[in-house]
Amino acid sequence: MTYPPNALIHSRRTLLAAGLAVGATASFFGANAVAAGPRKRFVLIICRGAADGLSIAPPVGDPHYAGMRRQLAITDAALPLDGDFGLHPALTSVHRLALTGQARLAPAVAMPRRVRSHFEAQDQLENGAADLGVSGWMNRALAAASGDRRLAGLSVGPVAPLVLQGETPTASWSPGRMVETKARLPTLIQDLYKDDPTLGQAFAKGLEIEAAAQATISRLATPDPEAPAPLTRRAAKQQTRAMTGQGADAARALGRTSAGLILDGAGADMVAISLDGFDTHANQAGQLATRLTYLDALVDGLHSGLGQAWADTAVLVVTEFGRTARINGTAGTDHGTASTALLLGGGLKRGGIIGDWPTLQEAKLYENRDLAPTLDLRSLFKGVLADHMGVDRRALDTTVFPDSANAPPLQTLV
């Protein structure tokens, strides 16, 4: 594979060769990030359902990757970063940002308690500890941030996520319906545009096309002699592409709308957005490509919508846990442990991967099945909150993430 000479995400071995310790501490956004100046914003995107980090950022340089993933391995099709990692081919906007130093990846992250239940893991991801009830770390960070004014929080979508719930009042936005605080795992884009006269109809039609296309593909695999003649495989794929394009348009509009809400009037300082559908136990390749297309369009909408404010915005993309290192028997993957996080922003400091890479060597797998985590997600959250949003270290260790002094804020990427 040929990699562009200006790729700005460097591998672990590149950093070591330069005398820099991967996982040592540096600063994400620069020495003056929290000084007086432009207003800083933080957007958290949660990919619900356990997004497969080994497909988000394929470890193309790991000699064990292709053998474990077989037909799910993304090698030559990966968008090139360096000799060790690439990006999923659906993440074209993220890739463009990466090549200009505005996106970095943390390829092996997890919360400290190892669970494979979606709801339990999402609760831990959002409340930031083992059990803090209905209270989220982003809500507590709003209260802990010091400065001349109180920071504002905003959830975008039909459900107010746990991460923003708590004693600090926050705002919620969802067109056409009331925001629900207890519903779990909504299909965000579908619900969000349900009552929109243009995007809602377009997305609903897209879902119909996707269902018809998937049914056609299934009939081609196991034809029923008494069933009507199905569409050709080519026609089915064309229908699926049409649906994906309409969904991407809705996701991009969601990103631009979110940017407008951030910039409008008093605006919001911390924003939480959820995307669903990442639980890919079967036929992962197509499903994940669609979901990552939506994620990429959402990021693109935020980037274009924020304009100059992008330079002062940090966007962090996370999921509750990863997926198994090995492919399963239904061309999918099962619940795992470590996954990939993406950190993006116009003020991001150029550098390599965040954390370390454990490799996919059999002896290095967690419980002989999962990518082993090398970085506590709380350290990544803390790094953004401290470096970019100016939250005090003591508050981070005791209030925002209680009893977490053993997970120091990452300060390594200056």
Side-chain angles (χ1 to χ4, degrees):
M1 183 185 298
T2 301
Y3 295 89
N6 62 335
L8 296 173
I9 291 187
H10 305 293
S11 68
R12 176 177 183 273
R13 63 170 174 261
T14 302
L15 291 174
L16 291 174
L20 300 177
V22 178
T25 57
S27 170
F28 290 121
F29 293 96
N32 297 320
V34 299
R39 186 172 179 175
K40 305 297 182 181
R41 268 88 173 207
F42 175 25
V43 180
L44 179 72
I45 300 174
I46 303 175
C47 296
R48 299 186 185 275
D52 179 30
L54 295 177
S55 294
I56 292 173
V60 294
D62 192 307
H64 309 283
Y65 171 64
M68 284 193 172
R69 281 304 175 94
R70 303 201 305 274
Q71 69 263 40
L72 290 184
I74 302 170
T75 52
D76 291 345
L79 301 174
L81 296 173
D82 63 9
D84 289 336
F85 291 95
L87 285 172
H88 190 283
L91 296 175
T92 54
S93 297
V94 174
H95 185 242
R96 285 194 298 271
L97 292 169
L99 294 184
T100 57
Q102 298 177 74
R104 301 178 69 172
L105 61 92
V109 298
M111 291 297 285
R113 193 156 57 96
R114 311 295 180 228
V115 294
R116 296 191 180 97
S117 159
H118 288 298
F119 296 125
E120 189 177 355
Q122 286 177 30
D123 283 347
Q124 183 188 188
L125 175 74
E126 295 183 67
N127 69 24
D131 184 13
L132 289 178
V134 184
S135 174
W137 60 260
M138 186 174 273
N139 187 283
R140 298 192 296 274
L142 289 168
S146 60
D148 296 333
R149 61 178 180 82
R150 180 180 293 274
L151 299 187
L154 171 71
S155 63
V156 177
V159 172
L162 173 60
V163 72
L164 265 176
Q165 294 182 34
E167 296 182 0
T168 303
T170 60
S172 300
W173 176 83
S174 178
R177 58 178 291 177
M178 296 294 291
V179 172
E180 301 171 15
T181 59
K182 295 183 179 180
R184 300 301 303 269
L185 293 176
T187 303
L188 176 66
I189 298 175
Q190 182 182 10
D191 286 352
L192 193 60
Y193 292 104
K194 174 176 171 287
D195 299 311
D196 185 285
T198 302
L199 291 173
Q201 293 178 18
F203 195 72
K205 182 62 176 177
L207 291 175
E208 293 176 10
I209 292 173
E210 180 183 40
Q214 292 298 327
T216 297
I217 291 171
S218 297
R219 287 197 301 270
L220 286 170
T222 55
D224 180 351
E226 298 182 2
L231 295 174
T232 65
R233 187 179 296 273
R234 179 180 179 182
K237 289 183 177 179
Q238 288 175 339
Q239 288 183 336
T240 300
R241 281 196 296 270
M243 177 270 165
T244 301
Q246 292 185 6
D249 289 343
R252 188 170 289 105
L254 172 62
R256 290 173 180 159
T257 299
S258 301
L261 292 168
I262 291 171
L263 299 175
D264 181 55
D269 301 280
M270 298 190 197
V271 180
I273 306 174
S274 298
L275 289 176
D276 295 314
F278 289 88
D279 196 14
T280 51
H281 289 280
N283 302 317
Q284 174 174 300
Q287 292 184 63
L288 187 60
T290 298
R291 294 298 180 252
L292 291 180
T293 297
Y294 298 162
L295 171 63
D296 192 70
L298 173 63
V299 169
D300 184 52
L302 279 168
H303 176 237
S304 61
L306 285 169
Q308 293 182 347
W310 174 256
D312 301 300
T313 302
V315 179
L316 186 57
V317 182
V318 298
T319 192
E320 67 262 35
F321 51 72
R323 308 196 71 82
T324 48
R326 300 180 186 87
I327 187 174
N328 64 23
T330 56
T333 53
D334 299 318
H335 296 179
T337 304
S339 189
T340 295
L342 299 173
L343 180 60
L344 310 98
L348 188 64
K349 287 297 180 180
R350 296 180 177 183
I353 64 171
I354 302 170
D356 207 347
W357 177 244
T359 81
L360 290 171
Q361 184 180 353
E362 293 270 357
K364 300 292 183 65
L365 296 180
Y366 177 72
E367 295 186 347
N368 194 38
R369 53 172 278 162
D370 303 337
L371 177 68
T374 63
L375 179 63
D376 189 327
L377 252 178
R378 296 174 301 172
S379 290
L380 188 52
F381 294 148
K382 285 181 172 184
V384 176
L385 291 171
D387 222 26
H388 187 62
M389 300 303 298
V391 181
D392 177 72
R393 168 67 189 275
R394 179 173 174 79
L396 288 172
D397 289 347
T398 61
T399 304
V400 181
F401 299 96
D403 302 319
S404 66
N406 62 333
L410 279 181
Q411 301 174 338
T412 57
L413 309 175
V414 176

Short mmCIF file of all heavy atoms in Angstrom, two decimals, residues 106-163:
data_model
loop_
_atom_site.label_atom_id
_atom_site.label_comp_id
_atom_site.label_asym_id
_atom_site.label_seq_id
_atom_site.Cartn_x
_atom_site.Cartn_y
_atom_site.Cartn_z
N ALA A 106 -7.26 7.02 19.00
CA ALA A 106 -6.82 6.25 20.16
C ALA A 106 -7.30 4.82 19.92
O ALA A 106 -8.48 4.53 20.06
CB ALA A 106 -7.42 6.81 21.44
N PRO A 107 -6.41 3.91 19.50
CA PRO A 107 -6.85 2.63 18.93
C PRO A 107 -7.18 1.53 19.93
O PRO A 107 -7.64 0.45 19.51
CB PRO A 107 -5.65 2.22 18.08
CG PRO A 107 -4.48 2.80 18.80
CD PRO A 107 -4.96 4.10 19.39
N ALA A 108 -6.98 1.74 21.24
CA ALA A 108 -7.23 0.66 22.20
C ALA A 108 -7.69 1.24 23.53
O ALA A 108 -6.95 1.26 24.50
CB ALA A 108 -5.98 -0.20 22.39
N VAL A 109 -8.92 1.76 23.56
CA VAL A 109 -9.44 2.42 24.75
C VAL A 109 -10.61 1.63 25.34
O VAL A 109 -11.31 0.90 24.63
CB VAL A 109 -9.91 3.86 24.45
CG1 VAL A 109 -8.74 4.71 23.98
CG2 VAL A 109 -11.03 3.87 23.42
N ALA A 110 -10.82 1.79 26.64
CA ALA A 110 -11.97 1.16 27.32
C ALA A 110 -12.16 1.82 28.67
O ALA A 110 -11.24 2.44 29.22
CB ALA A 110 -11.74 -0.34 27.50
N MET A 111 -13.36 1.71 29.20
CA MET A 111 -13.62 2.12 30.57
C MET A 111 -13.00 1.08 31.50
O MET A 111 -12.74 -0.06 31.10
CB MET A 111 -15.11 2.27 30.81
CG MET A 111 -15.74 3.45 30.07
SD MET A 111 -15.10 5.05 30.60
CE MET A 111 -15.92 5.24 32.19
N PRO A 112 -12.78 1.42 32.79
CA PRO A 112 -12.00 0.52 33.66
C PRO A 112 -12.68 -0.80 34.00
O PRO A 112 -11.99 -1.81 34.17
CB PRO A 112 -11.77 1.37 34.92
CG PRO A 112 -12.85 2.38 34.91
CD PRO A 112 -13.08 2.70 33.46
N ARG A 113 -14.00 -0.81 34.11
CA ARG A 113 -14.67 -2.06 34.48
C ARG A 113 -15.05 -2.81 33.22
O ARG A 113 -15.72 -2.27 32.34
CB ARG A 113 -15.92 -1.77 35.33
CG ARG A 113 -16.49 -3.00 36.03
CD ARG A 113 -17.29 -2.59 37.25
NE ARG A 113 -18.37 -1.67 36.91
CZ ARG A 113 -19.63 -2.05 36.69
NH1 ARG A 113 -19.97 -3.32 36.75
NH2 ARG A 113 -20.56 -1.15 36.41
N ARG A 114 -14.63 -4.05 33.10
CA ARG A 114 -14.83 -4.84 31.89
C ARG A 114 -16.20 -5.49 31.89
O ARG A 114 -16.44 -6.46 32.61
CB ARG A 114 -13.75 -5.92 31.75
CG ARG A 114 -12.32 -5.41 31.96
CD ARG A 114 -11.90 -4.43 30.88
NE ARG A 114 -10.55 -3.96 31.10
CZ ARG A 114 -10.18 -2.70 31.07
NH1 ARG A 114 -11.07 -1.75 30.83
NH2 ARG A 114 -8.93 -2.35 31.26
N VAL A 115 -17.11 -4.97 31.11
CA VAL A 115 -18.45 -5.54 30.98
C VAL A 115 -18.79 -5.62 29.50
O VAL A 115 -18.28 -4.85 28.68
CB VAL A 115 -19.51 -4.70 31.72
CG1 VAL A 115 -19.26 -4.74 33.22
CG2 VAL A 115 -19.53 -3.26 31.23
N ARG A 116 -19.67 -6.56 29.14
CA ARG A 116 -20.07 -6.71 27.75
C ARG A 116 -21.58 -6.58 27.59
O ARG A 116 -22.14 -7.04 26.59
CB ARG A 116 -19.59 -8.06 27.20
CG ARG A 116 -18.06 -8.19 27.15
CD ARG A 116 -17.61 -9.41 26.37
NE ARG A 116 -16.17 -9.53 26.33
CZ ARG A 116 -15.46 -10.31 27.15
NH1 ARG A 116 -16.10 -11.03 28.08
NH2 ARG A 116 -14.16 -10.37 27.05
N SER A 117 -22.23 -5.96 28.56
CA SER A 117 -23.65 -5.64 28.46
C SER A 117 -23.77 -4.21 27.95
O SER A 117 -23.18 -3.29 28.52
CB SER A 117 -24.32 -5.75 29.83
OG SER A 117 -25.53 -5.00 29.87
N HIS A 118 -24.56 -4.00 26.88
CA HIS A 118 -24.68 -2.67 26.31
C HIS A 118 -25.13 -1.64 27.34
O HIS A 118 -24.52 -0.58 27.48
CB HIS A 118 -25.68 -2.68 25.15
CG HIS A 118 -25.19 -3.36 23.92
ND1 HIS A 118 -24.10 -2.94 23.22
CD2 HIS A 118 -25.67 -4.45 23.27
CE1 HIS A 118 -23.92 -3.74 22.17
NE2 HIS A 118 -24.85 -4.66 22.18
N PHE A 119 -26.21 -1.94 28.05
CA PHE A 119 -26.78 -0.96 28.97
C PHE A 119 -25.84 -0.67 30.13
O PHE A 119 -25.64 0.49 30.51
CB PHE A 119 -28.14 -1.43 29.47
CG PHE A 119 -29.16 -1.56 28.38
CD1 PHE A 119 -29.84 -2.75 28.18
CD2 PHE A 119 -29.44 -0.49 27.54
CE1 PHE A 119 -30.78 -2.87 27.17
CE2 PHE A 119 -30.38 -0.60 26.53
CZ PHE A 119 -31.05 -1.79 26.34
N GLU A 120 -25.25 -1.71 30.69
CA GLU A 120 -24.33 -1.51 31.81
C GLU A 120 -23.09 -0.74 31.35
O GLU A 120 -22.62 0.17 32.04
CB GLU A 120 -23.93 -2.87 32.39
CG GLU A 120 -23.13 -2.77 33.68
CD GLU A 120 -22.83 -4.13 34.28
OE1 GLU A 120 -23.31 -5.16 33.74
OE2 GLU A 120 -22.10 -4.18 35.29
N ALA A 121 -22.58 -1.08 30.17
CA ALA A 121 -21.39 -0.40 29.66
C ALA A 121 -21.68 1.05 29.28
O ALA A 121 -20.86 1.94 29.52
CB ALA A 121 -20.84 -1.16 28.45
N GLN A 122 -22.85 1.30 28.71
CA GLN A 122 -23.20 2.68 28.37
C GLN A 122 -23.39 3.52 29.63
O GLN A 122 -23.00 4.70 29.66
CB GLN A 122 -24.45 2.70 27.50
CG GLN A 122 -24.19 2.24 26.08
CD GLN A 122 -25.44 2.20 25.23
OE1 GLN A 122 -26.36 2.98 25.44
NE2 GLN A 122 -25.49 1.29 24.27
N ASP A 123 -23.98 2.94 30.66
CA ASP A 123 -24.12 3.66 31.92
C ASP A 123 -22.75 4.03 32.49
O ASP A 123 -22.53 5.16 32.95
CB ASP A 123 -24.90 2.83 32.94
CG ASP A 123 -26.40 2.84 32.68
OD1 ASP A 123 -26.85 3.68 31.88
OD2 ASP A 123 -27.11 2.02 33.28
N GLN A 124 -21.81 3.08 32.45
CA GLN A 124 -20.46 3.35 32.96
C GLN A 124 -19.77 4.43 32.11
O GLN A 124 -19.13 5.34 32.65
CB GLN A 124 -19.62 2.08 32.97
CG GLN A 124 -18.23 2.30 33.55
CD GLN A 124 -17.31 1.11 33.40
OE1 GLN A 124 -16.21 1.09 33.95
NE2 GLN A 124 -17.72 0.11 32.66
N LEU A 125 -19.94 4.33 30.79
CA LEU A 125 -19.35 5.32 29.89
C LEU A 125 -19.86 6.72 30.18
O LEU A 125 -19.10 7.70 30.15
CB LEU A 125 -19.67 4.94 28.44
CG LEU A 125 -19.24 5.92 27.35
CD1 LEU A 125 -17.75 5.87 27.14
CD2 LEU A 125 -19.98 5.62 26.04
N GLU A 126 -21.15 6.83 30.50
CA GLU A 126 -21.77 8.14 30.63
C GLU A 126 -21.74 8.70 32.05
O GLU A 126 -21.67 9.92 32.23
CB GLU A 126 -23.20 8.10 30.12
CG GLU A 126 -23.27 7.82 28.62
CD GLU A 126 -24.68 7.85 28.10
OE1 GLU A 126 -25.29 8.94 28.10
OE2 GLU A 126 -25.20 6.78 27.71
N ASN A 127 -21.83 7.83 33.06
CA ASN A 127 -21.75 8.41 34.41
C ASN A 127 -20.31 8.49 34.90
O ASN A 127 -20.02 9.20 35.86
CB ASN A 127 -22.66 7.70 35.42
CG ASN A 127 -22.23 6.29 35.77
OD1 ASN A 127 -21.07 5.92 35.65
ND2 ASN A 127 -23.18 5.48 36.21
N GLY A 128 -19.39 7.78 34.24
CA GLY A 128 -17.97 7.95 34.52
C GLY A 128 -17.47 7.20 35.72
O GLY A 128 -16.33 7.37 36.14
N ALA A 129 -18.30 6.34 36.29
CA ALA A 129 -17.91 5.56 37.46
C ALA A 129 -18.78 4.31 37.51
O ALA A 129 -19.64 4.11 36.66
CB ALA A 129 -18.06 6.37 38.74
N ALA A 130 -18.54 3.48 38.52
CA ALA A 130 -19.27 2.21 38.61
C ALA A 130 -20.76 2.44 38.80
O ALA A 130 -21.59 1.81 38.17
CB ALA A 130 -18.71 1.37 39.74
N ASP A 131 -21.13 3.35 39.69
CA ASP A 131 -22.55 3.56 39.96
C ASP A 131 -22.75 4.93 40.60
O ASP A 131 -22.56 5.10 41.80
CB ASP A 131 -23.10 2.46 40.88
CG ASP A 131 -24.60 2.60 41.11
OD1 ASP A 131 -25.23 3.38 40.37
OD2 ASP A 131 -25.13 1.93 42.01
N LEU A 132 -23.15 5.88 39.78
CA LEU A 132 -23.45 7.21 40.30
C LEU A 132 -24.90 7.59 40.06
O LEU A 132 -25.28 8.76 40.14
CB LEU A 132 -22.53 8.26 39.65
CG LEU A 132 -21.06 8.21 40.08
CD1 LEU A 132 -20.27 9.26 39.32
CD2 LEU A 132 -20.92 8.44 41.57
N GLY A 133 -25.74 6.58 39.77
CA GLY A 133 -27.15 6.85 39.55
C GLY A 133 -27.36 7.69 38.30
O GLY A 133 -26.61 7.63 37.33
N VAL A 134 -28.41 8.50 38.32
CA VAL A 134 -28.74 9.33 37.16
C VAL A 134 -27.94 10.62 37.23
O VAL A 134 -28.45 11.68 37.60
CB VAL A 134 -30.26 9.61 37.10
CG1 VAL A 134 -30.60 10.38 35.83
CG2 VAL A 134 -31.03 8.30 37.14
N SER A 135 -26.69 10.52 36.90
CA SER A 135 -25.78 11.67 36.91
C SER A 135 -24.67 11.39 35.93
O SER A 135 -24.03 10.33 35.99
CB SER A 135 -25.21 11.90 38.31
OG SER A 135 -24.24 12.91 38.31
N GLY A 136 -24.42 12.32 35.03
CA GLY A 136 -23.42 12.12 34.00
C GLY A 136 -22.19 12.99 34.21
O GLY A 136 -22.27 14.08 34.77
N TRP A 137 -21.03 12.51 33.75
CA TRP A 137 -19.78 13.24 33.98
C TRP A 137 -19.74 14.57 33.24
O TRP A 137 -19.13 15.53 33.71
CB TRP A 137 -18.57 12.38 33.62
CG TRP A 137 -18.46 11.89 32.21
CD1 TRP A 137 -18.78 10.66 31.73
CD2 TRP A 137 -17.95 12.63 31.08
NE1 TRP A 137 -18.53 10.57 30.38
CE2 TRP A 137 -18.01 11.76 29.96
CE3 TRP A 137 -17.46 13.91 30.91
CZ2 TRP A 137 -17.60 12.15 28.68
CZ3 TRP A 137 -17.04 14.32 29.63
CH2 TRP A 137 -17.12 13.44 28.54
N MET A 138 -20.40 14.68 32.10
CA MET A 138 -20.40 15.95 31.40
C MET A 138 -21.21 16.99 32.17
O MET A 138 -20.86 18.18 32.21
CB MET A 138 -20.94 15.78 29.97
CG MET A 138 -20.83 17.03 29.12
SD MET A 138 -21.32 16.76 27.38
CE MET A 138 -19.76 16.20 26.68
N ASN A 139 -22.31 16.56 32.80
CA ASN A 139 -23.09 17.47 33.64
C ASN A 139 -22.26 17.95 34.82
O ASN A 139 -22.24 19.15 35.15
CB ASN A 139 -24.36 16.76 34.13
CG ASN A 139 -25.30 17.70 34.86
OD1 ASN A 139 -25.07 18.04 36.02
ND2 ASN A 139 -26.36 18.10 34.19
N ARG A 140 -21.52 17.04 35.45
CA ARG A 140 -20.68 17.44 36.59
C ARG A 140 -19.52 18.32 36.15
O ARG A 140 -19.08 19.20 36.89
CB ARG A 140 -20.17 16.19 37.32
CG ARG A 140 -21.30 15.32 37.90
CD ARG A 140 -20.76 14.26 38.85
NE ARG A 140 -19.90 13.29 38.19
CZ ARG A 140 -20.34 12.19 37.58
NH1 ARG A 140 -21.63 11.92 37.53
NH2 ARG A 140 -19.49 11.35 37.03
N ALA A 141 -19.02 18.10 34.93
CA ALA A 141 -17.95 18.95 34.42
C ALA A 141 -18.43 20.37 34.18
O ALA A 141 -17.68 21.33 34.39
CB ALA A 141 -17.39 18.36 33.12
N LEU A 142 -19.67 20.53 33.75
CA LEU A 142 -20.23 21.87 33.58
C LEU A 142 -20.21 22.63 34.90
O LEU A 142 -19.88 23.82 34.94
CB LEU A 142 -21.66 21.78 33.05
CG LEU A 142 -21.84 21.33 31.61
CD1 LEU A 142 -23.31 21.03 31.33
CD2 LEU A 142 -21.33 22.40 30.64
N ALA A 143 -20.57 21.93 35.98
CA ALA A 143 -20.59 22.57 37.30
C ALA A 143 -19.18 22.85 37.80
O ALA A 143 -18.95 23.84 38.52
CB ALA A 143 -21.34 21.69 38.29
N ALA A 144 -18.22 21.98 37.45
CA ALA A 144 -16.86 22.11 37.99
C ALA A 144 -16.00 23.11 37.24
O ALA A 144 -15.00 23.58 37.77
CB ALA A 144 -16.16 20.74 37.97
N ALA A 145 -16.39 23.46 36.01
CA ALA A 145 -15.57 24.37 35.21
C ALA A 145 -15.56 25.76 35.84
O ALA A 145 -16.59 26.28 36.26
CB ALA A 145 -16.11 24.45 33.78
N SER A 146 -14.38 26.34 35.94
CA SER A 146 -14.24 27.68 36.52
C SER A 146 -14.18 28.70 35.41
O SER A 146 -13.89 28.38 34.26
CB SER A 146 -12.98 27.76 37.38
OG SER A 146 -11.84 27.48 36.59
N GLY A 147 -14.47 29.94 35.74
CA GLY A 147 -14.41 31.02 34.75
C GLY A 147 -15.37 32.12 35.11
O GLY A 147 -16.02 32.12 36.15
N ASP A 148 -15.47 33.08 34.20
CA ASP A 148 -16.30 34.25 34.44
C ASP A 148 -17.79 33.97 34.25
O ASP A 148 -18.63 34.75 34.65
CB ASP A 148 -15.89 35.40 33.51
CG ASP A 148 -14.47 35.85 33.80
OD1 ASP A 148 -14.02 35.68 34.94
OD2 ASP A 148 -13.82 36.36 32.86
N ARG A 149 -18.12 32.85 33.60
CA ARG A 149 -19.53 32.56 33.35
C ARG A 149 -19.77 31.05 33.48
O ARG A 149 -18.85 30.24 33.39
CB ARG A 149 -19.93 33.01 31.94
CG ARG A 149 -19.14 32.30 30.85
CD ARG A 149 -19.58 32.70 29.45
NE ARG A 149 -18.79 32.00 28.46
CZ ARG A 149 -19.04 30.76 28.06
NH1 ARG A 149 -20.06 30.09 28.58
NH2 ARG A 149 -18.26 30.17 27.15
N ARG A 150 -21.01 30.69 33.70
CA ARG A 150 -21.37 29.28 33.80
C ARG A 150 -21.45 28.68 32.40
O ARG A 150 -22.04 29.26 31.49
CB ARG A 150 -22.73 29.13 34.49
CG ARG A 150 -23.19 27.68 34.64
CD ARG A 150 -24.53 27.60 35.33
NE ARG A 150 -24.42 28.03 36.71
CZ ARG A 150 -24.06 27.21 37.71
NH1 ARG A 150 -23.77 25.95 37.45
NH2 ARG A 150 -24.00 27.66 38.94
N LEU A 151 -20.84 27.51 32.22
CA LEU A 151 -20.88 26.85 30.93
C LEU A 151 -22.25 26.23 30.69
O LEU A 151 -22.94 25.82 31.62
CB LEU A 151 -19.80 25.78 30.85
CG LEU A 151 -18.35 26.24 31.00
CD1 LEU A 151 -17.39 25.09 30.73
CD2 LEU A 151 -18.03 27.42 30.09
N ALA A 152 -22.63 26.14 29.42
CA ALA A 152 -23.94 25.63 29.04
C ALA A 152 -23.81 24.27 28.37
O ALA A 152 -22.90 24.04 27.58
CB ALA A 152 -24.63 26.62 28.09
N GLY A 153 -24.74 23.36 28.68
CA GLY A 153 -24.77 22.03 28.09
C GLY A 153 -25.98 21.85 27.20
O GLY A 153 -27.05 22.42 27.43
N LEU A 154 -25.85 21.01 26.16
CA LEU A 154 -26.92 20.77 25.20
C LEU A 154 -26.89 19.34 24.73
O LEU A 154 -25.83 18.82 24.35
CB LEU A 154 -26.76 21.71 23.99
CG LEU A 154 -27.68 21.45 22.79
CD1 LEU A 154 -29.12 21.84 23.12
CD2 LEU A 154 -27.19 22.23 21.56
N SER A 155 -28.04 18.67 24.74
CA SER A 155 -28.16 17.36 24.11
C SER A 155 -28.97 17.52 22.83
O SER A 155 -29.98 18.23 22.81
CB SER A 155 -28.84 16.35 25.04
OG SER A 155 -30.17 16.73 25.34
N VAL A 156 -28.50 16.90 21.75
CA VAL A 156 -29.16 16.99 20.45
C VAL A 156 -29.77 15.63 20.14
O VAL A 156 -29.05 14.63 20.06
CB VAL A 156 -28.16 17.40 19.35
CG1 VAL A 156 -28.84 17.42 17.99
CG2 VAL A 156 -27.59 18.78 19.66
N GLY A 157 -31.09 15.60 19.95
CA GLY A 157 -31.75 14.34 19.63
C GLY A 157 -32.97 14.12 20.50
O GLY A 157 -33.27 14.90 21.41
N PRO A 158 -33.71 13.04 20.23
CA PRO A 158 -34.98 12.79 20.92
C PRO A 158 -34.82 12.26 22.34
O PRO A 158 -35.81 12.10 23.04
CB PRO A 158 -35.66 11.76 20.03
CG PRO A 158 -34.53 11.04 19.36
CD PRO A 158 -33.45 12.07 19.16
N VAL A 159 -33.60 12.00 22.77
CA VAL A 159 -33.36 11.47 24.11
C VAL A 159 -32.27 12.30 24.77
O VAL A 159 -31.23 12.58 24.16
CB VAL A 159 -32.94 9.99 24.06
CG1 VAL A 159 -32.50 9.51 25.44
CG2 VAL A 159 -34.08 9.12 23.56
N ALA A 160 -32.50 12.71 26.02
CA ALA A 160 -31.46 13.39 26.79
C ALA A 160 -30.55 12.32 27.37
O ALA A 160 -30.96 11.54 28.23
CB ALA A 160 -32.08 14.22 27.89
N PRO A 161 -29.30 12.20 26.92
CA PRO A 161 -28.44 11.10 27.35
C PRO A 161 -28.00 11.26 28.80
O PRO A 161 -27.95 12.38 29.34
CB PRO A 161 -27.24 11.20 26.40
CG PRO A 161 -27.19 12.65 26.03
CD PRO A 161 -28.62 13.11 25.98
N LEU A 162 -27.68 10.14 29.43
CA LEU A 162 -27.26 10.13 30.83
C LEU A 162 -26.06 11.04 31.06
O LEU A 162 -25.94 11.68 32.11
CB LEU A 162 -26.92 8.69 31.26
CG LEU A 162 -26.31 8.50 32.65
CD1 LEU A 162 -27.25 9.01 33.73
CD2 LEU A 162 -25.96 7.04 32.87
N VAL A 163 -25.14 11.13 30.10
CA VAL A 163 -23.91 11.89 30.30
C VAL A 163 -24.18 13.35 30.63
O VAL A 163 -23.37 14.01 31.29
CB VAL A 163 -23.00 11.77 29.05
CG1 VAL A 163 -23.56 12.56 27.87
CG2 VAL A 163 -21.58 12.18 29.37
#
